[in-house]
PDB file of all heavy atoms in Angstrom:
ATOM      1  N   VAL U1013     129.931 125.535 170.624  1.00 97.00           N
ATOM      2  CA  VAL U1013     129.127 124.880 169.592  1.00 97.00           C
ATOM      3  C   VAL U1013     129.355 125.631 168.291  1.00 97.00           C
ATOM      4  O   VAL U1013     129.172 126.851 168.230  1.00 97.00           O
ATOM      5  CB  VAL U1013     127.627 124.880 169.943  1.00 97.00           C
ATOM      6  CG1 VAL U1013     126.813 124.237 168.803  1.00 97.00           C
ATOM      7  CG2 VAL U1013     127.367 124.143 171.248  1.00 97.00           C
ATOM      8  N   LEU U1014     129.782 124.920 167.264  1.00 98.00           N
ATOM      9  CA  LEU U1014     129.981 125.491 165.929  1.00 98.00           C
ATOM     10  C   LEU U1014     128.883 124.968 165.008  1.00 98.00           C
ATOM     11  O   LEU U1014     128.707 123.759 164.891  1.00 98.00           O
ATOM     12  CB  LEU U1014     131.351 125.104 165.378  1.00 98.00           C
ATOM     13  CG  LEU U1014     132.571 125.533 166.187  1.00 98.00           C
ATOM     14  CD1 LEU U1014     133.837 124.901 165.610  1.00 98.00           C
ATOM     15  CD2 LEU U1014     132.703 127.053 166.202  1.00 98.00           C
ATOM     16  N   ILE U1015     128.161 125.865 164.351  1.00 98.00           N
ATOM     17  CA  ILE U1015     127.091 125.473 163.439  1.00 98.00           C
ATOM     18  C   ILE U1015     127.521 125.796 162.016  1.00 98.00           C
ATOM     19  O   ILE U1015     127.714 126.958 161.668  1.00 98.00           O
ATOM     20  CB  ILE U1015     125.768 126.196 163.759  1.00 98.00           C
ATOM     21  CG1 ILE U1015     125.391 126.008 165.240  1.00 98.00           C
ATOM     22  CG2 ILE U1015     124.653 125.678 162.861  1.00 98.00           C
ATOM     23  CD1 ILE U1015     124.155 126.801 165.653  1.00 98.00           C
ATOM     24  N   ASP U1016     127.679 124.765 161.209  1.00 97.00           N
ATOM     25  CA  ASP U1016     128.020 124.952 159.793  1.00 97.00           C
ATOM     26  C   ASP U1016     126.725 125.157 159.027  1.00 97.00           C
ATOM     27  O   ASP U1016     125.918 124.238 158.880  1.00 97.00           O
ATOM     28  CB  ASP U1016     128.780 123.735 159.268  1.00 97.00           C
ATOM     29  CG  ASP U1016     129.348 123.971 157.880  1.00 97.00           C
ATOM     30  OD1 ASP U1016     129.671 125.136 157.565  1.00 97.00           O
ATOM     31  OD2 ASP U1016     129.465 123.001 157.108  1.00 97.00           O
ATOM     32  N   CYS U1017     126.509 126.381 158.533  1.00 96.00           N
ATOM     33  CA  CYS U1017     125.251 126.752 157.877  1.00 96.00           C
ATOM     34  C   CYS U1017     125.330 126.551 156.365  1.00 96.00           C
ATOM     35  O   CYS U1017     126.418 126.632 155.779  1.00 96.00           O
ATOM     36  CB  CYS U1017     124.925 128.213 158.152  1.00 96.00           C
ATOM     37  SG  CYS U1017     124.750 128.635 159.895  1.00 96.00           S
ATOM     38  N   PRO U1018     124.191 126.341 155.709  1.00 93.00           N
ATOM     39  CA  PRO U1018     124.185 126.333 154.244  1.00 93.00           C
ATOM     40  C   PRO U1018     124.393 127.752 153.711  1.00 93.00           C
ATOM     41  O   PRO U1018     124.147 128.731 154.430  1.00 93.00           O
ATOM     42  CB  PRO U1018     122.783 125.810 153.901  1.00 93.00           C
ATOM     43  CG  PRO U1018     121.958 126.104 155.099  1.00 93.00           C
ATOM     44  CD  PRO U1018     122.871 126.038 156.284  1.00 93.00           C
ATOM     45  N   PRO U1019     124.852 127.882 152.459  1.00 90.00           N
ATOM     46  CA  PRO U1019     125.139 129.212 151.908  1.00 90.00           C
ATOM     47  C   PRO U1019     123.892 129.908 151.362  1.00 90.00           C
ATOM     48  O   PRO U1019     123.794 130.227 150.170  1.00 90.00           O
ATOM     49  CB  PRO U1019     126.141 128.900 150.791  1.00 90.00           C
ATOM     50  CG  PRO U1019     125.745 127.530 150.327  1.00 90.00           C
ATOM     51  CD  PRO U1019     125.275 126.795 151.557  1.00 90.00           C
ATOM     52  N   SER U1020     122.916 130.132 152.229  1.00 87.00           N
ATOM     53  CA  SER U1020     121.677 130.789 151.818  1.00 87.00           C
ATOM     54  C   SER U1020     121.041 131.426 153.039  1.00 87.00           C
ATOM     55  O   SER U1020     121.422 131.130 154.183  1.00 87.00           O
ATOM     56  CB  SER U1020     120.709 129.780 151.196  1.00 87.00           C
ATOM     57  OG  SER U1020     120.256 128.862 152.183  1.00 87.00           O
ATOM     58  N   LEU U1021     120.061 132.287 152.827  1.00 88.00           N
ATOM     59  CA  LEU U1021     119.340 132.908 153.930  1.00 88.00           C
ATOM     60  C   LEU U1021     117.941 132.309 154.034  1.00 88.00           C
ATOM     61  O   LEU U1021     116.961 133.002 154.267  1.00 88.00           O
ATOM     62  CB  LEU U1021     119.273 134.428 153.751  1.00 88.00           C
ATOM     63  CG  LEU U1021     118.767 135.238 154.963  1.00 88.00           C
ATOM     64  CD1 LEU U1021     119.593 134.936 156.193  1.00 88.00           C
ATOM     65  CD2 LEU U1021     118.766 136.708 154.651  1.00 88.00           C
ATOM     66  N   ASN U1022     117.862 131.021 153.855  1.00 92.00           N
ATOM     67  CA  ASN U1022     116.592 130.335 154.038  1.00 92.00           C
ATOM     68  C   ASN U1022     116.469 129.842 155.479  1.00 92.00           C
ATOM     69  O   ASN U1022     117.187 130.282 156.362  1.00 92.00           O
ATOM     70  CB  ASN U1022     116.456 129.200 153.027  1.00 92.00           C
ATOM     71  CG  ASN U1022     116.167 129.711 151.627  1.00 92.00           C
ATOM     72  OD1 ASN U1022     115.532 130.751 151.450  1.00 92.00           O
ATOM     73  ND2 ASN U1022     116.641 129.003 150.617  1.00 92.00           N
ATOM     74  N   GLY U1023     115.567 128.907 155.693  1.00 94.00           N
ATOM     75  CA  GLY U1023     115.199 128.517 157.039  1.00 94.00           C
ATOM     76  C   GLY U1023     116.327 127.998 157.903  1.00 94.00           C
ATOM     77  O   GLY U1023     116.404 128.318 159.095  1.00 94.00           O
ATOM     78  N   LEU U1024     117.228 127.186 157.357  1.00 96.00           N
ATOM     79  CA  LEU U1024     118.270 126.586 158.182  1.00 96.00           C
ATOM     80  C   LEU U1024     119.240 127.624 158.731  1.00 96.00           C
ATOM     81  O   LEU U1024     119.622 127.567 159.907  1.00 96.00           O
ATOM     82  CB  LEU U1024     119.016 125.514 157.382  1.00 96.00           C
ATOM     83  CG  LEU U1024     118.233 124.228 157.102  1.00 96.00           C
ATOM     84  CD1 LEU U1024     119.027 123.310 156.170  1.00 96.00           C
ATOM     85  CD2 LEU U1024     117.871 123.502 158.393  1.00 96.00           C
ATOM     86  N   THR U1025     119.650 128.566 157.912  1.00 95.00           N
ATOM     87  CA  THR U1025     120.543 129.618 158.402  1.00 95.00           C
ATOM     88  C   THR U1025     119.852 130.464 159.453  1.00 95.00           C
ATOM     89  O   THR U1025     120.430 130.783 160.506  1.00 95.00           O
ATOM     90  CB  THR U1025     121.028 130.495 157.237  1.00 95.00           C
ATOM     91  OG1 THR U1025     121.841 129.712 156.367  1.00 95.00           O
ATOM     92  CG2 THR U1025     121.830 131.690 157.742  1.00 95.00           C
ATOM     93  N   ARG U1026     118.603 130.802 159.216  1.00 95.00           N
ATOM     94  CA  ARG U1026     117.858 131.609 160.189  1.00 95.00           C
ATOM     95  C   ARG U1026     117.624 130.821 161.479  1.00 95.00           C
ATOM     96  O   ARG U1026     117.619 131.377 162.581  1.00 95.00           O
ATOM     97  CB  ARG U1026     116.558 132.087 159.561  1.00 95.00           C
ATOM     98  CG  ARG U1026     116.796 133.053 158.403  1.00 95.00           C
ATOM     99  CD  ARG U1026     115.565 133.231 157.532  1.00 95.00           C
ATOM    100  NE  ARG U1026     114.512 133.910 158.247  1.00 95.00           N
ATOM    101  CZ  ARG U1026     113.234 133.541 158.210  1.00 95.00           C
ATOM    102  NH1 ARG U1026     112.877 132.472 157.517  1.00 95.00           N
ATOM    103  NH2 ARG U1026     112.333 134.221 158.870  1.00 95.00           N
ATOM    104  N   MET U1027     117.434 129.525 161.362  1.00 96.00           N
ATOM    105  CA  MET U1027     117.305 128.665 162.534  1.00 96.00           C
ATOM    106  C   MET U1027     118.612 128.667 163.342  1.00 96.00           C
ATOM    107  O   MET U1027     118.605 128.723 164.576  1.00 96.00           O
ATOM    108  CB  MET U1027     116.965 127.239 162.078  1.00 96.00           C
ATOM    109  CG  MET U1027     116.459 126.310 163.165  1.00 96.00           C
ATOM    110  SD  MET U1027     116.174 124.648 162.503  1.00 96.00           S
ATOM    111  CE  MET U1027     114.722 124.932 161.485  1.00 96.00           C
ATOM    112  N   ALA U1028     119.740 128.604 162.624  1.00 97.00           N
ATOM    113  CA  ALA U1028     121.048 128.632 163.286  1.00 97.00           C
ATOM    114  C   ALA U1028     121.270 129.970 163.977  1.00 97.00           C
ATOM    115  O   ALA U1028     121.746 130.017 165.125  1.00 97.00           O
ATOM    116  CB  ALA U1028     122.148 128.372 162.265  1.00 97.00           C
ATOM    117  N   TRP U1029     120.944 131.065 163.311  1.00 97.00           N
ATOM    118  CA  TRP U1029     121.135 132.382 163.915  1.00 97.00           C
ATOM    119  C   TRP U1029     120.274 132.546 165.164  1.00 97.00           C
ATOM    120  O   TRP U1029     120.704 133.145 166.144  1.00 97.00           O
ATOM    121  CB  TRP U1029     120.801 133.480 162.904  1.00 97.00           C
ATOM    122  CG  TRP U1029     121.799 133.602 161.790  1.00 97.00           C
ATOM    123  CD1 TRP U1029     122.929 132.860 161.614  1.00 97.00           C
ATOM    124  CD2 TRP U1029     121.740 134.521 160.696  1.00 97.00           C
ATOM    125  NE1 TRP U1029     123.583 133.260 160.470  1.00 97.00           N
ATOM    126  CE2 TRP U1029     122.878 134.275 159.886  1.00 97.00           C
ATOM    127  CE3 TRP U1029     120.844 135.511 160.309  1.00 97.00           C
ATOM    128  CZ2 TRP U1029     123.135 135.005 158.723  1.00 97.00           C
ATOM    129  CZ3 TRP U1029     121.092 136.233 159.149  1.00 97.00           C
ATOM    130  CH2 TRP U1029     122.229 135.978 158.369  1.00 97.00           C
ATOM    131  N   THR U1030     119.071 132.005 165.148  1.00 96.00           N
ATOM    132  CA  THR U1030     118.196 132.075 166.313  1.00 96.00           C
ATOM    133  C   THR U1030     118.819 131.378 167.514  1.00 96.00           C
ATOM    134  O   THR U1030     118.664 131.820 168.658  1.00 96.00           O
ATOM    135  CB  THR U1030     116.831 131.436 165.996  1.00 96.00           C
ATOM    136  OG1 THR U1030     116.223 132.114 164.889  1.00 96.00           O
ATOM    137  CG2 THR U1030     115.886 131.509 167.185  1.00 96.00           C
ATOM    138  N   ALA U1031     119.551 130.291 167.258  1.00 96.00           N
ATOM    139  CA  ALA U1031     120.150 129.495 168.341  1.00 96.00           C
ATOM    140  C   ALA U1031     121.515 130.008 168.771  1.00 96.00           C
ATOM    141  O   ALA U1031     122.076 129.506 169.747  1.00 96.00           O
ATOM    142  CB  ALA U1031     120.280 128.039 167.882  1.00 96.00           C
ATOM    143  N   SER U1032     122.066 130.996 168.082  1.00 96.00           N
ATOM    144  CA  SER U1032     123.462 131.392 168.279  1.00 96.00           C
ATOM    145  C   SER U1032     123.621 132.633 169.123  1.00 96.00           C
ATOM    146  O   SER U1032     122.735 133.490 169.200  1.00 96.00           O
ATOM    147  CB  SER U1032     124.131 131.637 166.914  1.00 96.00           C
ATOM    148  OG  SER U1032     124.190 130.452 166.158  1.00 96.00           O
ATOM    149  N   ASN U1033     124.796 132.735 169.752  1.00 94.00           N
ATOM    150  CA  ASN U1033     125.227 133.982 170.374  1.00 94.00           C
ATOM    151  C   ASN U1033     125.871 134.905 169.350  1.00 94.00           C
ATOM    152  O   ASN U1033     125.729 136.125 169.437  1.00 94.00           O
ATOM    153  CB  ASN U1033     126.255 133.718 171.481  1.00 94.00           C
ATOM    154  CG  ASN U1033     125.805 132.676 172.482  1.00 94.00           C
ATOM    155  OD1 ASN U1033     126.403 131.607 172.556  1.00 94.00           O
ATOM    156  ND2 ASN U1033     124.761 132.975 173.238  1.00 94.00           N
ATOM    157  N   ARG U1034     126.600 134.284 168.390  1.00 95.00           N
ATOM    158  CA  ARG U1034     127.389 135.069 167.460  1.00 95.00           C
ATOM    159  C   ARG U1034     127.378 134.421 166.078  1.00 95.00           C
ATOM    160  O   ARG U1034     127.167 133.215 165.947  1.00 95.00           O
ATOM    161  CB  ARG U1034     128.840 135.184 167.955  1.00 95.00           C
ATOM    162  CG  ARG U1034     128.953 135.653 169.388  1.00 95.00           C
ATOM    163  CD  ARG U1034     130.363 135.561 169.911  1.00 95.00           C
ATOM    164  NE  ARG U1034     131.175 136.683 169.453  1.00 95.00           N
ATOM    165  CZ  ARG U1034     132.461 136.792 169.659  1.00 95.00           C
ATOM    166  NH1 ARG U1034     133.119 135.841 170.298  1.00 95.00           N
ATOM    167  NH2 ARG U1034     133.124 137.836 169.232  1.00 95.00           N
ATOM    168  N   VAL U1035     127.631 135.260 165.066  1.00 96.00           N
ATOM    169  CA  VAL U1035     127.744 134.794 163.692  1.00 96.00           C
ATOM    170  C   VAL U1035     129.125 135.171 163.164  1.00 96.00           C
ATOM    171  O   VAL U1035     129.525 136.341 163.219  1.00 96.00           O
ATOM    172  CB  VAL U1035     126.666 135.417 162.773  1.00 96.00           C
ATOM    173  CG1 VAL U1035     126.843 134.922 161.337  1.00 96.00           C
ATOM    174  CG2 VAL U1035     125.272 135.086 163.276  1.00 96.00           C
ATOM    175  N   LEU U1036     129.853 134.179 162.673  1.00 96.00           N
ATOM    176  CA  LEU U1036     131.156 134.402 162.045  1.00 96.00           C
ATOM    177  C   LEU U1036     130.974 134.284 160.539  1.00 96.00           C
ATOM    178  O   LEU U1036     130.517 133.246 160.040  1.00 96.00           O
ATOM    179  CB  LEU U1036     132.167 133.372 162.536  1.00 96.00           C
ATOM    180  CG  LEU U1036     133.578 133.478 161.964  1.00 96.00           C
ATOM    181  CD1 LEU U1036     134.269 134.743 162.475  1.00 96.00           C
ATOM    182  CD2 LEU U1036     134.407 132.250 162.326  1.00 96.00           C
ATOM    183  N   LEU U1037     131.317 135.340 159.821  1.00 95.00           N
ATOM    184  CA  LEU U1037     131.139 135.365 158.367  1.00 95.00           C
ATOM    185  C   LEU U1037     132.437 134.985 157.672  1.00 95.00           C
ATOM    186  O   LEU U1037     133.526 135.334 158.129  1.00 95.00           O
ATOM    187  CB  LEU U1037     130.698 136.754 157.908  1.00 95.00           C
ATOM    188  CG  LEU U1037     129.431 137.304 158.571  1.00 95.00           C
ATOM    189  CD1 LEU U1037     129.106 138.686 158.038  1.00 95.00           C
ATOM    190  CD2 LEU U1037     128.255 136.364 158.340  1.00 95.00           C
ATOM    191  N   VAL U1038     132.306 134.271 156.568  1.00 94.00           N
ATOM    192  CA  VAL U1038     133.459 133.831 155.785  1.00 94.00           C
ATOM    193  C   VAL U1038     133.352 134.432 154.388  1.00 94.00           C
ATOM    194  O   VAL U1038     132.290 134.380 153.758  1.00 94.00           O
ATOM    195  CB  VAL U1038     133.527 132.293 155.696  1.00 94.00           C
ATOM    196  CG1 VAL U1038     134.751 131.853 154.894  1.00 94.00           C
ATOM    197  CG2 VAL U1038     133.558 131.680 157.098  1.00 94.00           C
ATOM    198  N   ALA U1039     134.457 134.987 153.900  1.00 93.00           N
ATOM    199  CA  ALA U1039     134.459 135.605 152.572  1.00 93.00           C
ATOM    200  C   ALA U1039     135.802 135.388 151.914  1.00 93.00           C
ATOM    201  O   ALA U1039     136.839 135.287 152.574  1.00 93.00           O
ATOM    202  CB  ALA U1039     134.181 137.099 152.677  1.00 93.00           C
ATOM    203  N   GLU U1040     135.783 135.311 150.604  1.00 92.00           N
ATOM    204  CA  GLU U1040     137.007 135.363 149.812  1.00 92.00           C
ATOM    205  C   GLU U1040     137.244 136.805 149.381  1.00 92.00           C
ATOM    206  O   GLU U1040     136.287 137.573 149.238  1.00 92.00           O
ATOM    207  CB  GLU U1040     136.889 134.472 148.574  1.00 92.00           C
ATOM    208  CG  GLU U1040     137.074 133.003 148.830  1.00 92.00           C
ATOM    209  CD  GLU U1040     137.095 132.218 147.525  1.00 92.00           C
ATOM    210  OE1 GLU U1040     136.221 132.446 146.676  1.00 92.00           O
ATOM    211  OE2 GLU U1040     137.987 131.383 147.368  1.00 92.00           O
ATOM    212  N   PRO U1041     138.504 137.210 149.161  1.00 92.00           N
ATOM    213  CA  PRO U1041     138.770 138.564 148.696  1.00 92.00           C
ATOM    214  C   PRO U1041     138.499 138.702 147.195  1.00 92.00           C
ATOM    215  O   PRO U1041     139.406 138.912 146.391  1.00 92.00           O
ATOM    216  CB  PRO U1041     140.250 138.771 149.041  1.00 92.00           C
ATOM    217  CG  PRO U1041     140.836 137.404 149.038  1.00 92.00           C
ATOM    218  CD  PRO U1041     139.754 136.476 149.482  1.00 92.00           C
ATOM    219  N   GLY U1042     137.235 138.555 146.833  1.00 91.00           N
ATOM    220  CA  GLY U1042     136.801 138.698 145.448  1.00 91.00           C
ATOM    221  C   GLY U1042     135.546 139.547 145.399  1.00 91.00           C
ATOM    222  O   GLY U1042     134.820 139.680 146.393  1.00 91.00           O
ATOM    223  N   LEU U1043     135.247 140.119 144.252  1.00 91.00           N
ATOM    224  CA  LEU U1043     134.140 141.071 144.112  1.00 91.00           C
ATOM    225  C   LEU U1043     132.818 140.486 144.578  1.00 91.00           C
ATOM    226  O   LEU U1043     132.109 141.073 145.397  1.00 91.00           O
ATOM    227  CB  LEU U1043     134.027 141.518 142.653  1.00 91.00           C
ATOM    228  CG  LEU U1043     132.803 142.386 142.312  1.00 91.00           C
ATOM    229  CD1 LEU U1043     132.835 143.686 143.097  1.00 91.00           C
ATOM    230  CD2 LEU U1043     132.749 142.667 140.803  1.00 91.00           C
ATOM    231  N   PHE U1044     132.438 139.299 144.066  1.00 90.00           N
ATOM    232  CA  PHE U1044     131.130 138.740 144.381  1.00 90.00           C
ATOM    233  C   PHE U1044     131.030 138.339 145.850  1.00 90.00           C
ATOM    234  O   PHE U1044     129.985 138.484 146.481  1.00 90.00           O
ATOM    235  CB  PHE U1044     130.836 137.550 143.477  1.00 90.00           C
ATOM    236  CG  PHE U1044     130.819 137.883 142.012  1.00 90.00           C
ATOM    237  CD1 PHE U1044     131.406 137.047 141.079  1.00 90.00           C
ATOM    238  CD2 PHE U1044     130.232 139.063 141.574  1.00 90.00           C
ATOM    239  CE1 PHE U1044     131.400 137.369 139.732  1.00 90.00           C
ATOM    240  CE2 PHE U1044     130.219 139.401 140.230  1.00 90.00           C
ATOM    241  CZ  PHE U1044     130.812 138.556 139.302  1.00 90.00           C
ATOM    242  N   SER U1045     132.130 137.832 146.393  1.00 90.00           N
ATOM    243  CA  SER U1045     132.121 137.425 147.796  1.00 90.00           C
ATOM    244  C   SER U1045     132.028 138.629 148.721  1.00 90.00           C
ATOM    245  O   SER U1045     131.305 138.593 149.728  1.00 90.00           O
ATOM    246  CB  SER U1045     133.382 136.614 148.114  1.00 90.00           C
ATOM    247  OG  SER U1045     133.362 136.169 149.449  1.00 90.00           O
ATOM    248  N   VAL U1046     132.736 139.693 148.408  1.00 89.00           N
ATOM    249  CA  VAL U1046     132.670 140.908 149.225  1.00 89.00           C
ATOM    250  C   VAL U1046     131.254 141.479 149.195  1.00 89.00           C
ATOM    251  O   VAL U1046     130.701 141.876 150.233  1.00 89.00           O
ATOM    252  CB  VAL U1046     133.691 141.951 148.744  1.00 89.00           C
ATOM    253  CG1 VAL U1046     133.496 143.280 149.487  1.00 89.00           C
ATOM    254  CG2 VAL U1046     135.113 141.441 148.959  1.00 89.00           C
ATOM    255  N   ALA U1047     130.646 141.503 148.008  1.00 89.00           N
ATOM    256  CA  ALA U1047     129.266 141.985 147.901  1.00 89.00           C
ATOM    257  C   ALA U1047     128.315 141.088 148.690  1.00 89.00           C
ATOM    258  O   ALA U1047     127.387 141.572 149.350  1.00 89.00           O
ATOM    259  CB  ALA U1047     128.853 142.042 146.430  1.00 89.00           C
ATOM    260  N   GLY U1048     128.556 139.786 148.640  1.00 88.00           N
ATOM    261  CA  GLY U1048     127.728 138.854 149.396  1.00 88.00           C
ATOM    262  C   GLY U1048     127.860 139.056 150.891  1.00 88.00           C
ATOM    263  O   GLY U1048     126.895 138.919 151.646  1.00 88.00           O
ATOM    264  N   THR U1049     129.066 139.380 151.350  1.00 91.00           N
ATOM    265  CA  THR U1049     129.287 139.636 152.772  1.00 91.00           C
ATOM    266  C   THR U1049     128.548 140.880 153.221  1.00 91.00           C
ATOM    267  O   THR U1049     127.961 140.926 154.310  1.00 91.00           O
ATOM    268  CB  THR U1049     130.792 139.787 153.052  1.00 91.00           C
ATOM    269  OG1 THR U1049     131.466 138.597 152.637  1.00 91.00           O
ATOM    270  CG2 THR U1049     131.052 140.018 154.528  1.00 91.00           C
ATOM    271  N   GLU U1050     128.549 141.899 152.383  1.00 91.00           N
ATOM    272  CA  GLU U1050     127.810 143.120 152.713  1.00 91.00           C
ATOM    273  C   GLU U1050     126.315 142.829 152.825  1.00 91.00           C
ATOM    274  O   GLU U1050     125.635 143.319 153.737  1.00 91.00           O
ATOM    275  CB  GLU U1050     128.073 144.188 151.653  1.00 91.00           C
ATOM    276  CG  GLU U1050     127.527 145.555 152.021  1.00 91.00           C
ATOM    277  CD  GLU U1050     127.902 146.615 151.006  1.00 91.00           C
ATOM    278  OE1 GLU U1050     128.103 146.270 149.822  1.00 91.00           O
ATOM    279  OE2 GLU U1050     127.993 147.793 151.403  1.00 91.00           O
ATOM    280  N   ARG U1051     125.793 141.982 151.923  1.00 90.00           N
ATOM    281  CA  ARG U1051     124.377 141.592 152.004  1.00 90.00           C
ATOM    282  C   ARG U1051     124.101 140.813 153.283  1.00 90.00           C
ATOM    283  O   ARG U1051     123.064 140.980 153.920  1.00 90.00           O
ATOM    284  CB  ARG U1051     123.987 140.744 150.785  1.00 90.00           C
ATOM    285  CG  ARG U1051     123.930 141.501 149.478  1.00 90.00           C
ATOM    286  CD  ARG U1051     123.185 140.697 148.419  1.00 90.00           C
ATOM    287  NE  ARG U1051     123.775 139.383 148.189  1.00 90.00           N
ATOM    288  CZ  ARG U1051     124.741 139.143 147.315  1.00 90.00           C
ATOM    289  NH1 ARG U1051     125.245 140.133 146.599  1.00 90.00           N
ATOM    290  NH2 ARG U1051     125.217 137.916 147.154  1.00 90.00           N
ATOM    291  N   THR U1052     125.048 139.941 153.654  1.00 90.00           N
ATOM    292  CA  THR U1052     124.867 139.157 154.873  1.00 90.00           C
ATOM    293  C   THR U1052     124.840 140.054 156.096  1.00 90.00           C
ATOM    294  O   THR U1052     124.038 139.830 157.022  1.00 90.00           O
ATOM    295  CB  THR U1052     125.995 138.121 155.018  1.00 90.00           C
ATOM    296  OG1 THR U1052     126.108 137.348 153.827  1.00 90.00           O
ATOM    297  CG2 THR U1052     125.715 137.181 156.180  1.00 90.00           C
ATOM    298  N   MET U1053     125.687 141.059 156.141  1.00 92.00           N
ATOM    299  CA  MET U1053     125.699 141.996 157.263  1.00 92.00           C
ATOM    300  C   MET U1053     124.343 142.698 157.395  1.00 92.00           C
ATOM    301  O   MET U1053     123.805 142.836 158.505  1.00 92.00           O
ATOM    302  CB  MET U1053     126.812 143.031 157.077  1.00 92.00           C
ATOM    303  CG  MET U1053     128.220 142.458 157.144  1.00 92.00           C
ATOM    304  SD  MET U1053     128.691 141.990 158.821  1.00 92.00           S
ATOM    305  CE  MET U1053     128.720 143.584 159.615  1.00 92.00           C
TER     306      MET U1053
END
């Protein structure tokens, strides 16, 4: 099962994480995206 989440840490993403075994993070090799990935971790 693949869950395409919205790009935020509001209810839908948290709902998806609750239902998941694993989280796959996506990032571009750019400053803001790398910083965003660190926040997501």
Side-chain angles (χ1 to χ4, degrees):
V1013 178
L1014 301 172
I1015 307 175
D1016 189 30
C1017 301
S1020 67
L1021 191 56
N1022 286 329
L1024 289 174
T1025 294
R1026 294 164 67 224
M1027 195 183 289
W1029 289 0
T1030 301
S1032 296
N1033 309 114
R1034 309 171 80 186
V1035 179
L1036 180 68
L1037 304 180
V1038 181
E1040 282 186 313
L1043 173 62
F1044 300 138
S1045 182
V1046 173
T1049 302
E1050 189 175 28
R1051 290 195 303 272
T1052 308
M1053 294 288 294

